[in-house]
C-alpha cells in the first residue's frame, strides 16, 4: 500500500478494494464488477499474498456454485426443488401487485417473477423497491401445493449498498487535496493516474459527468478500443447502455399503449453505444429527443419530466487532422443522418476521444480504490439531491460570443466537475478557472462542427471566451483545430440558383482559402421539390444515354441508379438472370445501393429460372435477403415470369433505367483477394449500354 492507499483505507474503511484483483478475475468471468468487488472484499481483505491467493480461489468457487447465469435458470430452479433450498447471487426486485394485494419478489437470472418475500427484507433495504438490488439470496422450495407460488426467500443479504451516507462521503473527501481526490476516483475506475497526463485525467473524469448531472447531453467520438462504453455498462448500476439497434420513442420515452414511461424515467444515464448504427424510423423519436435534451421534459399525450442524462459514444473512421482540415467532413460525421443541427446544438460537451489512450494493461492500477458500487451510489445521490448550477452561475463570467445553449452547456459541465471533485466545498479560484476553460473548449468543439455544416452564419460565433480572476478575457481554442482554416473559417456553399444570383462566387473554386488541401469541383447545387415540398439538396438528374466499355472502371449500382432515387418509395427491377450465386450477390449489392435513400420502402424483383436452376437454393437465398430487408423496414416482393427477356429498372418517381446486361455487367475478378472484389467502382466492367429516361 502506498501513501494514498493508506489514507483512503483509513478514511473509507470497508469501502475500498484492490483493483488489480478485480482485473484478474474479470477477464475470465462475465459477472458485474460490483458483484466481484463484494466477494473480493469478503475473501481477499489482506495484504498477505498467500491469503489473497486462497481468497481468489474462494471467490471463483463461490461464483461457480452460487452465481446464476441467465441460460441456467431452469437448472437453478431444479436445484432448489430437489435440495429444498439453495443460496444464489442474483438481482432481486420487489413489486407490489395490486391484484394480489401483496408484494412479490422477482429474480432476474433465476427467472422467476413470483417469489414470496417477507416484509422485513424490503423494509430494511429500500432499493429492492426502487430498481432492484444484487443480493446473496437463499431461495427455498414451497412444499404446500395449495399455495400459488413455488419459491420463497428464506434469507437475503445485499451485495450492493442498501443505505448510503452522503455526509460521511463528504467528510472523507475533506481529507484529500483536489489532485489526490482525482487520483482516488481514477483508481476507483481501475486506472493508474501516475501513467496519465493531467489533461487525460480530466478526460477520464469527464466520462463520469453524465452520472452526476441531470439532463447532461454528452458525446464522445474517437478511435476504437479506448473504453468509451465501459463507464456506462460496468461502472454504475444506475446507467444503461443501448448497443446499436433501433431507438424508438416507446422504448426511450413513453409507451402510449402501456401508459408507461421509457428508459429515461428509470435510469440516471441512457447511453448509446456505436451511435452511428442507431436506426431511427419514426421522425417523432428525434423530435421528442430534442425536447427532452433541451429541458428534460416532453409530451406524448401526457407531460413527462425526467432527469436522465443522454450520452452518445461512437467511432471516428478518419483521422482528426483529415477531418478538421477538410471542407467536406466534420467531427460529427459518424452520427446518423437523423441527428440534425438541432440535436447537435443540445450537446453540452464533446469529449475528444482521439486523445484517449488505447486500452492496455499498462494503464490499469494495482492499488486500492472505492468499491464501484459505493462511488456509483455517491454519484447517484448527487444526481438526485445536489445542485451546484447556481453556485457556478454566481462565479462564472463568459464572453459575448457565448450564446444561450453555449452558456447552459458550459455551466452544467462546470457544475458536474465540481460535484465529482469538490462534493463538500467550493473549488479554489485557480481550480474553478481550470474547469471553466475545459468546459468552454468542449462546448466550442460542438459549435465549430455545427458552423462547418451550416450554410450561413448562425453558428459563426465560435470564439467562445471567459474572464479569469484578473478580469482578462481568454478565448479558448480546441487544440486539434486551432490552426485548421477549414474549421475556423469554413467555406460557405452556394445554395442559390446560379442564374438567379450570378454575383455569388462558386465557393468550391476558391482553392487559396484551403491551403494544403485539394478542393473538389462540384456541380451547382439546387433544391429538388416533390409533392411534399423540398426534401433535399441534390444535383438535378438528367436523361442519359451512354456506353460502358469493356475494361472500364468507376461504375457501380449506386453511381448509376443513386441520383435518380430522389423521393422514391418503390423500385421495380426486371432481370431474368438472378439465378447463379454471383448474380444473387449482385442483386444484394443493388439493394444496398437503393437502401442508401431512406424513402424507399419496397423493392420488387421480377426474374425467371431455367431447368439448371436449383430452385430451392435460390428461394432460400432470396428469403434470407427478404428477412434482412424487413428488419430495415423495406419489403421485398419476388415475382417469377418465365417469358421475361428484357432488363430494366423502374422507379415510382418516373425514371426508367435500362442496362443492356442487367445487373451482371461486371467482369469476374482475376482473384477473389484482389482489388475490386468488394468495391465495385474499382472492378472492370463488360461492355453494355445504359439508357436513363422518364416516362
Amino acid at each position: 500500500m502506498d501513501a494514498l492507499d493508506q489514507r483512503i483505507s483509513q478514511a473509507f474503511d470497508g469501502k475500498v478494494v484492490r483493483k488489480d484483483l478485480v482485473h484478474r478475475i474479470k477477464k475470465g468471468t462475465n459477472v458485474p464488477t460490483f458483484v466481484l468487488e463484494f466477494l473480493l472484499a469478503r475473501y481477499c481483505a489482506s495484504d498477505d499474498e498467500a491469503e489473497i491467493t486462497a481468497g481468489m480461489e474462494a471467490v471463483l468457487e463461490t461464483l461457480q456454485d452460487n452465481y446464476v447465469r441467465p441460460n441456467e435458470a431452469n437448472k437453478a430452479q431444479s436445484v432448489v426443488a430437489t435440495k429444498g433450498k439453495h443460496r444464489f447471487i442474483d438481482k432481486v426486485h420487489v413489486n407490489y401487485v395490486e391484484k394480489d394485494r401483496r408484494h412479490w419478489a422477482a429474480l432476474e437470472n433465476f427467472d422467476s417473477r413470483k417469489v414470496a418475500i417477507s416484509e422485513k427484507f424490503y423494509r430494511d433495504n429500500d432499493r429492492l423497491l426502487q430498481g432492484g438490488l444484487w443480493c446473496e439470496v437463499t431461495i427455498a422450495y414451497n412444499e404446500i401445493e395449495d399455495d400459488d407460488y413455488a419459491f420463497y426467500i428464506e434469507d437475503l443479504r445485499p451485495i450492493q449498498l442498501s443505505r448510503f451516507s452522503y455526509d460521511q462521503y463528504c467528510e472523507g473527501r475533506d481529507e484529500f487535496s483536489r489532485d489526490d481526490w482525482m487520483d482516488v476516483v481514477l483508481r476507483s475506475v481501475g486506472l493508474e493516474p501516475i501513467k496519465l497526463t493531467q489533461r487525460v485525467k480530466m478526460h477520464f473524469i469527464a466520462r463520469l459527468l453524465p452520472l452526476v448531472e441531470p439532463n447532461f447531453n454528452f458525446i464522445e467520438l474517437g478511435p476504437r478500443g479506448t473504453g468509451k462504453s465501459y463507464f456506462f455498462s460496468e461502472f454504475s448500476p444506475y446507467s444503461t447502455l443501448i448497443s446499436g439497434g433501433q431507438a424508438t420513442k416507446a422504448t426511450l420515452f413513453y409507451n402510449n399503449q402501456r401508459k408507461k414511461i421509457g428508459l429515461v424515467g428509470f435510469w440516471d444515464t441512457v447511453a448509446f453505444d456505436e451511435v452511428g448504427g442507431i436506426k431511427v424510423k419514426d421522425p417523432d423519436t428525434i423530435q421528442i429527443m430534442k425536447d427532452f435534451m433541451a429541458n428534460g421534459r416532453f409530451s406524448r399525450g401526457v407531460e413527462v419530466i425526467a432527469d436522465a442524462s443522454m450520452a452518445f459514444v461512437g467511432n471516428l473512421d478518419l483521422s482528426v487532422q483529415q477531418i478538421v482540415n477538410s471542407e467536406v467532413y466534420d467531427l460529427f460525421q459518424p452520427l446518423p443522418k437523423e441527428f440534425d443541427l438541432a440535436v447537435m446544438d443540445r450537446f453540452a460537451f464533446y469529449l475528444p476521444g482521439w486523445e484517449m489512450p488505447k486500452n492496455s494493461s499498462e494503464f490499469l492500477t494495482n492499488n486500492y480504490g472505492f468499491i464501484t458500487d459505493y462511488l456509483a451510489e455517491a454519484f447517484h445521490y448527487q444526481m438526485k439531491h445536489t445542485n451546484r448550477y447556481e453556485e457556478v452561475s454566481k462565479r462564472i463570467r463568459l464572453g459575448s460570443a457565448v450564446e444561450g445553449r453555449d452558456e447552459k452547456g458550459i455551466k452544467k459541465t462546470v457544475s458536474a466537475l465540481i460535484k465529482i471533485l469538490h462534493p463538500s466545498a467550493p473549488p479554489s479560484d485557480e481550480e474553478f478557472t481550470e474547469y471553466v476553460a475545459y468546459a468552454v473548449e468542449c462546448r466550442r468543439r460542438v459549435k465549430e462542427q455545427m458552423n462547418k455544416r451550416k450554410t450561413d452564419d448562425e453558428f459563426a460565433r465560435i470564439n467562445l471566451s471567459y474572464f479569469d480572476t484578473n478580469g482578462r478575457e481568454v478565448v479558448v481554442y480546441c487544440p486539434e483545430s486551432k490552426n485548421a482554416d477549414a474549421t475556423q473559417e469554413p467555406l460557405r456553399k452556394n445554395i442559390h440558383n446560379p442564374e438567379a444570383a450570378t454575383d455569388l462566387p462558386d465557393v468550391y473554386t476558391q482553392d487559396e482559402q484551403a491551403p494544403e488541401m485539394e478542393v473538389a469541383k462540384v456541380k451547382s447545387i439546387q433544391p429538388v421539390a416533390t409533392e411534399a415540398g423540398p426534401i433535399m439538396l441534390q444535383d438535378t438528374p438528367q436523361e442519359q444515354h451512354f456506353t460502358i466499355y469493356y475494361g472500364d472502371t468507376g461504375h457501380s449500382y449506386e453511381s448509376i441508379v443513386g441520383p435518380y432515387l430522389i423521393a422514391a418509395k418503390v423500385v421495380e427491377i426486371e432481370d431474368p438472370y438472378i439465378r447463379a450465386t454471383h448474380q444473387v450477390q449482385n442483386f444484394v449489392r443493388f439493394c444496398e445501393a437503393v437502401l442508401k435513400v431512406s424513402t424507399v420502402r419496397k423493392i420488387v424483383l421480377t426474374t425467371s429460372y431455367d431447368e439448371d436452376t436449383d430452385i430451392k437454393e435460390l428461394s432460400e437465398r432470396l428469403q434470407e435477403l427478404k428477412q434482412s430487408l424487413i428488419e430495415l423496414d423495406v419489403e421485398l416482393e419476388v415475382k417469377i415470369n418465365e417469358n421475361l427477356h428484357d432488363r430494366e429498372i423502374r422507379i415510382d418517381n418516373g425514371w426508367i433505367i435500362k442496362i443492356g446486361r442487367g445487373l451482371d455487367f461486371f467482369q469476374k475478378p482475376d482473384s477473389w483477394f484482389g482489388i475490386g472484389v468488394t468495391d465495385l467502382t474499382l472492378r472492370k466492367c463488360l461492355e453494355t449500354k445504359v439508357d436513363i429516361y422518364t416516362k
Side-chain angles (χ1 to χ4, degrees):
M1 297 178 70
D2 63 13
L4 190 59
D5 286 339
Q6 294 173 358
R7 291 169 59 199
I8 188 176
S9 297
Q10 183 176 357
F12 295 94
D13 185 32
K15 299 178 179 65
V16 296
V17 67
R18 257 182 64 182
K19 291 293 175 172
D20 61 320
L21 304 181
V22 180
H23 303 318
R24 283 159 60 180
I25 292 188
K26 184 68 176 173
K27 291 178 180 178
T29 57
N30 187 21
V31 180
T33 300
F34 42 81
V35 173
L36 290 180
E37 292 182 343
F38 167 80
L39 296 173
L40 288 169
R42 174 191 291 179
Y43 294 111
C44 301
S46 171
D47 286 330
D48 183 86
E49 200 60 38
E51 291 184 22
I52 289 175
T53 301
M56 295 278 281
E57 293 178 359
V59 169
L60 294 172
E61 184 178 341
T62 300
L63 290 174
Q64 182 67 33
D65 294 340
N66 303 119
Y67 179 69
V68 186
R69 290 167 177 79
N71 61 346
E72 297 176 346
N74 188 56
K75 176 183 174 182
Q77 293 180 11
S78 176
V79 167
V80 176
T82 303
K83 294 174 56 179
K85 62 180 178 181
H86 190 75
R87 179 180 296 173
F88 295 105
I89 296 175
D90 203 350
K91 190 171 186 178
V92 182
H93 305 260
V94 175
N95 304 299
Y96 179 75
V97 179
E98 187 177 3
K99 182 180 69 173
D100 297 341
R101 296 190 176 186
R102 65 170 296 177
H103 291 79
W104 293 105
L107 279 74
E108 279 196 3
N109 294 347
F110 188 74
D111 197 23
S112 179
R113 298 291 177 266
K114 200 172 185 180
V115 180
I117 184 170
S118 171
E119 180 184 352
K120 66 176 182 178
F121 293 126
Y122 55 81
R123 186 183 62 237
D124 294 341
N125 301 285
D126 299 337
R127 283 180 57 187
L128 288 172
L129 295 162
Q130 302 170 4
L133 195 64
W134 279 89
C135 305
E136 272 190 321
V137 55
T138 301
I139 305 294
Y141 185 70
N142 181 21
E143 301 283 356
I144 303 174
E145 294 184 2
D146 292 340
D147 288 343
D148 58 348
Y149 59 91
F151 307 105
Y152 65 93
I153 292 178
E154 184 178 274
D155 191 28
L156 180 146
R157 179 182 178 185
I159 287 177
Q160 296 175 250
L161 293 173
S162 57
R163 298 194 182 280
F164 171 78
S165 171
Y166 185 64
D167 290 338
Q168 291 181 3
Y169 174 75
C170 291
E171 289 173 8
R173 161 63 181 94
D174 292 339
E175 301 297 320
F176 299 85
S177 67
R178 192 286 303 266
D179 290 343
D180 284 346
W181 184 253
M182 182 182 287
D183 291 352
V184 167
V185 174
L186 291 173
R187 283 183 175 180
S188 297
V189 297
L191 298 166
E192 181 47 57
I194 296 174
K195 305 289 183 66
L196 307 173
T197 65
Q198 183 67 17
R199 180 170 172 82
V200 173
K201 287 182 184 181
M202 285 294 289
H203 290 340
F204 277 114
I205 294 294
R207 283 180 171 174
L208 301 169
L209 301 183
L211 299 174
V212 297
E213 184 68 17
N215 302 127
F216 186 81
N217 304 313
F218 169 97
I219 184 167
E220 178 185 355
L221 301 174
R224 294 165 179 80
T226 58
K228 293 186 288 292
S229 59
Y230 167 82
F231 285 71
F232 306 110
S233 63
E234 287 283 345
F235 180 75
S236 173
Y238 292 105
S239 67
T240 185
L241 183 70
I242 301 173
S243 299
Q246 185 176 338
T248 67
K249 56 191 176 187
T251 301
L252 290 174
F253 301 108
Y254 191 82
N255 190 316
N256 278 332
Q257 300 299 319
R258 298 181 179 179
K259 308 295 182 186
K260 189 176 181 181
I261 194 170
L263 296 175
V264 296
F266 290 94
W267 301 94
D268 288 356
T269 307
V270 178
F272 298 84
D273 195 11
E274 305 292 352
V275 63
I278 294 176
K279 300 178 181 65
V280 183
K281 295 184 179 179
D282 189 344
D284 286 349
T285 302
I286 293 297
Q287 187 55 51
I288 295 172
M289 181 181 288
K290 292 175 188 176
D291 294 342
F292 181 76
M293 291 173 72
N295 51 34
R297 65 178 64 196
F298 60 89
S299 177
R300 286 208 69 202
V302 296
E303 187 78 13
V304 179
I305 301 175
D307 292 330
S309 294
M310 304 198 84
F312 302 84
V313 296
N315 301 319
L316 284 175
D317 292 323
L318 300 175
S319 77
V320 173
Q321 287 307 307
Q322 280 180 304
I323 295 173
V324 297
N325 288 291
S326 167
E327 296 290 349
V328 179
Y329 294 107
D330 58 64
L331 291 172
F332 282 137
Q333 177 258 333
L335 296 183
K337 62 182 183 301
E338 293 86 359
F339 280 38
D340 57 16
L341 288 170
V343 174
M344 297 172 189
D345 197 20
R346 286 159 168 78
F347 291 131
F349 188 97
Y350 188 141
L351 182 69
W354 50 89
E355 295 185 22
M356 305 298 276
K358 289 274 191 177
N359 290 337
S360 171
S361 57
E362 70 174 297
F363 296 109
L364 301 179
T365 186
N366 294 326
N367 297 89
Y368 283 78
F370 285 122
I371 293 174
T372 299
D373 193 50
Y374 180 74
L375 193 57
E377 196 64 32
F379 289 171
H380 173 69
Y381 182 92
Q382 291 177 295
M383 163 80 81
K384 298 297 183 183
H385 302 291
T386 65
N387 186 345
R388 309 294 288 273
Y389 192 86
E390 289 303 317
E391 174 187 335
V392 171
S393 297
K394 292 176 181 178
R395 293 183 65 175
I396 199 170
R397 288 183 60 204
L398 299 171
S400 58
V402 176
E403 299 170 306
R405 288 212 170 105
D406 303 328
E407 180 179 358
K408 181 179 178 182
I410 291 167
K411 288 181 177 179
K412 287 180 77 70
T413 298
V414 177
S415 173
L417 286 168
I418 291 175
K419 284 184 179 182
I420 293 174
L421 298 174
H422 306 270
S424 57
S428 67
D429 287 344
E430 182 181 355
E431 292 165 344
F432 187 80
T433 301
E434 178 185 351
Y435 304 150
V436 172
Y438 185 66
V440 171
E441 175 200 319
C442 292
R443 172 59 191 180
R444 176 176 179 140
R445 188 169 289 111
V446 174
K447 205 166 186 183
E448 283 184 350
Q449 311 318 308
M450 294 191 298
N451 187 43
K452 287 185 76 172
R453 290 199 176 195
K454 198 71 167 69
T455 55
D456 58 25
D457 293 333
E458 180 180 355
F459 300 111
R461 301 175 72 181
I462 59 175
N463 286 328
L464 308 187
S465 62
Y466 68 93
F467 290 88
D468 63 16
T469 54
N470 297 320
R472 181 173 60 96
E473 185 174 7
V474 181
V475 177
V476 180
Y477 291 87
C478 302
E480 72 278 357
S481 61
K482 182 177 181 179
N483 299 314
D485 292 341
T487 297
Q488 299 305 315
E489 298 180 4
L491 301 178
R492 299 301 185 196
K493 298 181 181 67
N494 179 6
I495 65 171
H496 302 282
N497 188 321
E499 285 74 24
T502 54
D503 57 326
L504 291 173
D506 181 357
V507 298
Y508 289 98
T509 63
Q510 299 179 15
D511 296 85
E512 68 279 5
Q513 294 189 29
E516 302 178 3
M517 174 188 164
E518 182 178 352
V519 181
K521 309 296 190 297
V522 300
K523 298 178 183 177
S524 61
I525 297 176
Q526 301 180 27
V528 176
T530 66
E531 293 180 1
I535 60 166
M536 57 172 25
L537 293 175
Q538 178 75 26
D539 291 345
T540 304
Q542 305 291 333
E543 286 195 4
Q544 295 191 65
H545 304 273
F546 60 92
T547 300
I548 298 174
Y549 292 100
Y550 185 89
D552 276 359
T553 60
H555 299 284
S556 67
Y557 305 128
E558 187 174 359
S559 66
I560 295 174
V561 180
Y564 300 90
L565 291 172
I566 298 171
K569 294 183 179 179
V570 181
V571 178
E572 300 181 53
I573 176 168
E574 293 184 354
D575 191 328
Y577 298 103
I578 306 294
R579 306 171 183 172
T581 298
H582 76 280
Q583 293 169 342
V584 178
Q585 289 174 338
N586 284 339
F587 180 60
V588 172
R589 290 190 176 102
F590 173 80
C591 291
E592 290 174 341
V594 169
L595 285 174
K596 293 183 179 179
V597 176
S598 60
T599 57
V600 174
R601 286 292 172 263
K602 185 174 183 179
I603 299 172
V604 180
L605 169 65
T606 303
T607 188
S608 64
Y609 56 83
D610 57 20
E611 59 185 13
D612 296 327
T613 304
D614 187 334
I615 299 175
K616 180 180 178 183
E617 183 179 78
L618 175 61
S619 176
E620 289 176 350
R621 289 172 174 174
L622 292 176
Q623 186 63 30
E624 287 181 20
L625 175 58
K626 186 174 184 177
Q627 289 301 315
S628 66
L629 285 169
I630 286 175
E631 293 177 7
L632 299 173
D633 203 22
V634 176
E635 176 188 356
L636 172 62
E637 181 181 349
V638 180
K639 300 178 181 179
I640 302 297
N641 184 348
E642 293 300 318
N643 299 316
L644 185 66
H645 296 288
D646 293 338
R647 304 170 178 87
E648 70 177 24
I649 300 166
R650 293 192 300 274
I651 306 172
D652 67 341
N653 60 11
W655 287 102
I656 297 175
I657 301 171
K658 287 195 172 186
I659 306 174
R661 288 180 174 270
L663 299 184
D664 197 5
F665 63 86
F666 293 103
Q667 295 184 24
K668 182 180 179 181
D670 296 330
S671 166
W672 289 105
F673 298 95
I675 297 299
V677 170
T678 58
D679 187 344
L680 294 182
T681 60
L682 299 175
R683 190 184 298 189
K684 294 179 180 179
C685 297
L686 300 167
E687 184 167 325
T688 187
K689 291 185 180 298
V690 180
D691 296 293
I692 306 174
Y693 55 92
T694 56
K695 295 179 183 178

